[in-house]
């Protein structure tokens, strides 16, 4: 059994040594066998196919694989929103609209998804939320006592809170909203800095 640290070191070493195809074969085998190589390995692959040897197909495949392996609905939606943004960035608005349509048909999304719908000139059919996307279970209970939903649950909560309450385009509003998140009883955040 390989840990995510082992995978990340292996991927980094293969890419660093120029064993690009071997690295991608490892990725293919991980996905084929349903193995999650971990976020650090995904990061190495993403950096390579985005910056070192740009390959949009591999980049999008990595992002879609990341979405399918995320432990909670909110992170999956965030990664899928990133895919939509990337498709828009490269000018493939038809595919971006198609992915948004799939998310919408499945009832998935968040405030960013709604903003992406608006940016692409289409209104979401169902802004209430998603149940299933590509066979993934999107059900997330609002509170789970003694059993955290995922490693990034609080970050997801902060992101949703900021997007839903901060003033768009106003950085100070974002900062104040992040500080208000804890003050309103949503959970403690470790925020270091001067006033």
């Amino acid at each position: 059994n390989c840990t995510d640290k082992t995978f990340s070191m292996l991927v980094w070493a293969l890419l660093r040594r120029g064993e690009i195809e071997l690295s991608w074969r490892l990725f293919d085998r991980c996905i084929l066998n349903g193995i999650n190589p971990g976020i650090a390995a995904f990061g190495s692959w993403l950096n390579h196919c985005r910056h070192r040897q740009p390959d949009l197909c591999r980049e999008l495949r990595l992002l879609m694989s990341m979405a399918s392996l995320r432990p909670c609905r909110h992170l999956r939606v965030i990664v899928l929103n990133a895919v939509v943004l990337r498709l828009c960035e490269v000018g493939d608005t038809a595919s971006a609209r198609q992915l948004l349509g799939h998310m919408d048909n499945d009832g998935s999304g968040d405030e960013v998804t709604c903003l992406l719908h608006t940016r692409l000139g289409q209104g979401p059919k169902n802004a209430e939320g998603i149940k299933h996307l590509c066979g993934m279970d999107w059900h997330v209970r609002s509170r789970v006592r003694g059993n955290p939903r995922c490693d990034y649950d609080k970050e997801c909560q902060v992101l949703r809170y900021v997007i839903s309450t901060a003033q768009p385009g106003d950085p100070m509003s974002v900062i104040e909203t992040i500080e208000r998140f804890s003050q309103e009883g949503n959970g403690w955040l470790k925020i270091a800095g001067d006033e």
Side-chain angles (χ1 to χ4, degrees), residues 36-49:
N36 184 350
I39 198 69
F42 274 116
S44 293
W45 280 313
L46 279 170
N47 180 60
H48 183 79
C49 67

Side-chain angles (χ1 to χ4, degrees), residues 4-168:
D4 58 343
K5 287 184 180 182
T6 305
F7 274 113
S8 74
M9 289 187 291
L10 183 57
V11 170
W12 179 84
L14 289 171
L15 292 173
R16 181 122 172 135
R17 297 291 301 155
E19 298 289 344
I20 310 306
E21 286 310 309
L22 189 55
S23 171
W24 288 112
R25 284 187 13 218
L26 176 63
F27 169 74
D28 291 336
R29 296 306 268 168
C30 285
I31 300 309
L32 180 68
N33 292 312
I35 297 170
N36 184 350
I39 198 69
F42 274 116
S44 293
W45 280 313
L46 279 170
N47 180 60
H48 183 79
C49 67
R50 178 82 189 263
H51 301 290
R52 303 244 183 234
Q53 289 182 348
D55 186 332
L56 182 63
C57 288
R58 282 187 170 157
E59 180 183 348
L60 294 176
R61 188 161 174 243
L62 277 162
L63 289 169
M64 294 300 284
S65 297
M66 282 177 63
S68 71
L69 294 170
R70 293 301 81 209
C72 79
R73 166 201 181 279
H74 306 295
L75 284 175
R76 291 175 183 173
V77 170
I78 289 166
V79 174
L80 291 172
N81 285 337
V83 172
V84 171
L85 285 168
R86 184 68 174 122
L87 288 167
C88 290
E89 186 179 320
V90 298
D92 190 353
T93 55
S95 294
R97 284 187 178 105
Q98 185 179 15
L99 178 55
L100 281 175
H102 286 301
M103 292 172 71
D104 193 46
N105 288 337
D106 291 332
S108 71
D110 58 12
E111 291 85 359
V112 172
T113 311
C114 291
L115 292 172
L116 290 170
H117 273 290
T118 303
R119 180 178 179 180
L120 290 171
Q122 65 186 50
K125 297 174 196 161
N126 176 10
E128 290 301 310
I130 185 163
K131 299 256 192 274
H132 297 284
L133 177 62
C134 304
M136 293 184 277
D137 179 13
W138 291 91
H139 179 71
V140 177
R141 288 177 271 161
S142 60
R143 293 270 182 215
V144 177
R145 302 228 182 259
N147 184 11
R149 292 185 292 269
C150 73
D151 291 341
Y152 304 102
D153 186 52
K154 188 168 287 183
E155 290 84 350
C156 289
Q157 290 176 20
V158 172
L159 178 63
R160 289 191 315 276
Y161 183 78
V162 168
I163 290 170
S164 65
T165 58
Q167 183 67 32

